[in-house]
Amino acid sequence: MGSLILTEQKEWGALVTLNRPKALNALNTDVLRELDDVLTQLNAQKETQVVILTGSGEKAFAAGADIAAMREMTPGEARQFSAYGQAVMTRIAGMRAMVIAAVNGYALGGGCELAMACDIRIASTRAKFGIPEVTLGVIPGFGGTQRLSRLIGVGRALEMMATGGQINAEEALRMGLVNHVTEPEELLEVCEAMARKIAANSAGAIALGKQSIYAGSEMDLNRGLAHEAGLFALTFAHPDQREGMDAFLEKRKAVFK
Ligand code: CAA
């Protein structure tokens, strides 16, 4: 495993750290490739129930796609870079594990897009969010024009896109861009407490619940409900269903496989 991404195994899964602090964890192709590899490996490990993704250093989760690397790109190269970044970020929604973004500082451009691609976002009071691409003469290319409007609504996404301005963690919380805000020194602790809570539940059921929510958010209600019923039925083919229900009825803690 390369040094641009650090991975630490935990009892609930893995802590994954973007590790390019001198460039504020800017995302170039090497970082994306390593992140892609790490996510692929973690998805193959059944014991990884939660991934916490954060940035190294005090200042940034990730300050965006790498501007120096993008400067000389042709339109064709930019399209490839965008498609690859989007594919890596979209991989997160398809993972069995729940992925929590621990946003420890700047989450700008591609960094904001990466945080938005995670399942849950927890921000430190130091976090700053924005999609400042228009200040560079470009638009977001890692899903920012799509995921931001889905998370906070079209009107607010348009304002953030067109002004290129930053919002702080409290504003992000009010808009629904993040789930919780913590003091910087408590960020990982809060994320890990959530990770432990998630890991105590049925991993198989969570994976199906995640799939149902993501797929359903792209469907009309009736198709979404039919999709949910199919996945609900599938949980009854897994031993976790019997164990979870037996444990409730026997007034004991469930032990899931
Ligand atoms: N790409 C490449 N390098 C970056 C970077 C980025 N996105 N963001 C920061 N850096 C580098 C800086 O160039 C600087 O490097 P040097 O020390 O070698 O000069 C180092 O990180 C520290 O940055 P600053 O000195 O600028 O730190 P600061 O505290 O003064 O400012 C900041 C912090 C406000 C985050 C500022 O760095 C900044 O505005 N960064 C760019 C943010 C941005 O525009 N992101 C969008 C990128 S485009 C994109 O993401 C497209 C897409 O969707 C695919």
Side-chain angles (χ1 to χ4, degrees):
M1 214 158 280
S3 58
L4 292 170
I5 304 288
L6 305 176
T7 307
E8 203 181 319
Q9 297 290 336
K10 300 278 190 174
E11 79 280 7
W12 40 261
L15 174 64
V16 173
T17 306
L18 304 170
N19 186 37
R20 220 191 148 202
K22 285 198 180 121
L24 304 188
N25 303 317
L27 305 166
N28 60 18
T29 303
D30 290 341
V31 175
L32 289 172
R33 202 172 286 130
E34 276 192 35
L35 181 61
D36 194 9
D37 289 347
V38 164
L39 295 177
T40 304
Q41 283 166 25
L42 291 173
N43 200 38
Q45 293 172 5
K46 201 169 167 284
E47 63 277 13
T48 303
Q49 279 184 262
V50 183
V51 173
I52 295 176
L53 180 62
T54 194
S56 65
E58 300 269 288
K59 275 172 80 168
F61 175 73
D66 190 310
I67 298 166
M70 287 185 294
R71 185 175 179 278
E72 300 294 337
M73 281 182 188
T74 63
E77 287 163 344
R79 192 186 184 98
Q80 269 186 349
F81 185 57
S82 170
Y84 186 52
Q86 288 178 356
V88 175
M89 292 179 195
T90 298
R91 184 180 297 297
I92 292 172
M95 287 177 74
R96 281 173 55 83
M98 290 294 290
V99 182
I100 302 173
V103 186
N104 53 310
Y106 288 112
L108 300 177
C112 185
E113 293 170 297
L114 179 57
M116 290 192 289
C118 292
D119 302 315
I120 294 167
R121 282 157 292 286
I122 303 186
S124 110
T125 51
R126 276 202 207 119
K128 291 268 190 334
F129 296 83
I131 46 168
E133 282 86 345
V134 295
T135 67
L136 301 166
V138 299
I139 67 165
F142 292 165
T145 63
Q146 304 306 304
R147 291 197 174 92
L148 188 60
S149 53
R150 283 165 169 78
L151 280 167
I152 67 171
V154 170
R156 283 184 294 217
L158 280 164
E159 179 181 332
M160 282 181 71
M161 180 282 296
T163 62
Q166 295 177 11
I167 59 169
N168 65 25
E170 283 302 329
E171 287 172 285
L173 181 67
R174 267 201 305 278
M175 289 182 183
L177 183 53
V178 303
N179 299 39
H180 304 282
V181 175
T182 75
E183 291 304 318
E185 55 281 3
E186 287 167 7
L187 178 63
L188 280 184
E189 222 172 276
V190 168
C191 291
E192 291 202 36
M194 185 181 283
R196 279 191 289 275
K197 206 165 175 184
I198 291 170
N201 296 324
S202 162
I206 288 173
L208 292 178
K210 173 170 164 173
Q211 193 190 322
S212 191
I213 287 173
Y214 277 125
S217 70
E218 304 298 327
M219 292 176 188
D220 65 48
L221 182 62
N222 284 333
R223 283 189 57 224
L225 291 172
H227 184 72
E228 179 189 83
L231 295 178
F232 177 70
L234 206 54
T235 59
F236 285 71
H238 193 281
D240 279 0
Q241 173 264 332
R242 192 52 72 83
E243 167 59 14
M245 294 189 180
D246 280 353
F248 175 81
L249 295 170
E250 292 162 13
K251 301 190 189 308
R252 62 174 174 82
K253 210 169 165 338
V255 182
F256 293 113
K257 296 270 177 261

